[in-house]
Amino acid sequence: VQLQAFGGGLVQSGGSLRLSCVASASGSILTVYDMGWYRQAPGKERELVAGILGGGDTVHVDSVKGRFTISRDNDKNTVYLEMNNLKPEDTAVYYCNVKAALPGRERNNYWGQGTLVTVSS
C-alpha cells in the first residue's frame, strides 16, 4: 500500500493551501476505512489535525476548527485537507494516515511520507 501526499509549501500568514493524499495498492483492490491528517512540528510530538470516517463523519482538532476542512473522495481513495487563514504555528510536516485492507487481509494503519507546510509571519 502506498500513500502519496501533495500540496505542501511555503505560504504567508493568512494564506491557504490544499493538501491531497492518494492511497493505492499495486495490482490490487484496496478497501479504505478511516482517513486523516496528522502533523509534527519541530521538537513536538505528532498530533492529529483532522480525521474522516468511512461514512463521512469528521473531527477537527480545536486549534484548526473553522480554518481547516478535511474531505475525501472514495472513488479516488483520496483525502484532502483544505487549510485557510494559516498561522505560523501551523508550520509542520503533515502526514496522511489511512486505515485500509487488502483483499483477504486485516485492516492496517498506513502513513504517507509527509509534506512540509511552512507559514511565514
Side-chain angles (χ1 to χ4, degrees):
V1 177
Q2 298 85 38
L3 300 185
Q4 280 193 297
F6 307 91
L10 173 64
V11 64
Q12 289 188 332
S13 183
S16 299
L17 285 173
R18 188 191 196 210
L19 305 183
S20 305
C21 178
V22 183
S24 62
S26 299
S28 186
I29 296 173
L30 187 65
T31 301
V32 177
Y33 300 94
D34 305 340
M35 308 180 87
W37 288 95
Y38 289 70
R39 66 186 179 187
Q40 188 166 18
K44 295 189 176 181
E45 293 188 353
R46 192 174 297 188
E47 64 172 356
L48 173 68
V49 176
I52 183 166
L53 303 181
D57 289 342
T58 63
V59 60
H60 296 78
V61 69
D62 285 347
S63 61
V64 307
K65 282 182 180 177
R67 301 188 298 122
F68 292 10
T69 303
I70 190 170
S71 62
R72 63 189 288 166
D73 183 332
N74 291 329
D75 290 337
K76 298 179 180 179
N77 284 343
T78 300
V79 60
Y80 305 96
L81 186 67
E82 187 74 36
M83 304 185 294
N84 298 312
N85 191 21
L86 282 159
K87 303 176 180 180
E89 51 263 42
D90 295 318
T91 295
V93 177
Y94 284 70
Y95 297 90
C96 58
N97 174 269
V98 166
K99 293 177 176 58
L102 293 167
R105 301 286 185 91
E106 290 186 355
R107 193 179 307 192
N108 270 323
N109 204 28
Y110 299 96
W111 291 93
Q113 81 279 14
T115 185
L116 177 62
V117 172
T118 304
V119 184
S120 63
S121 57

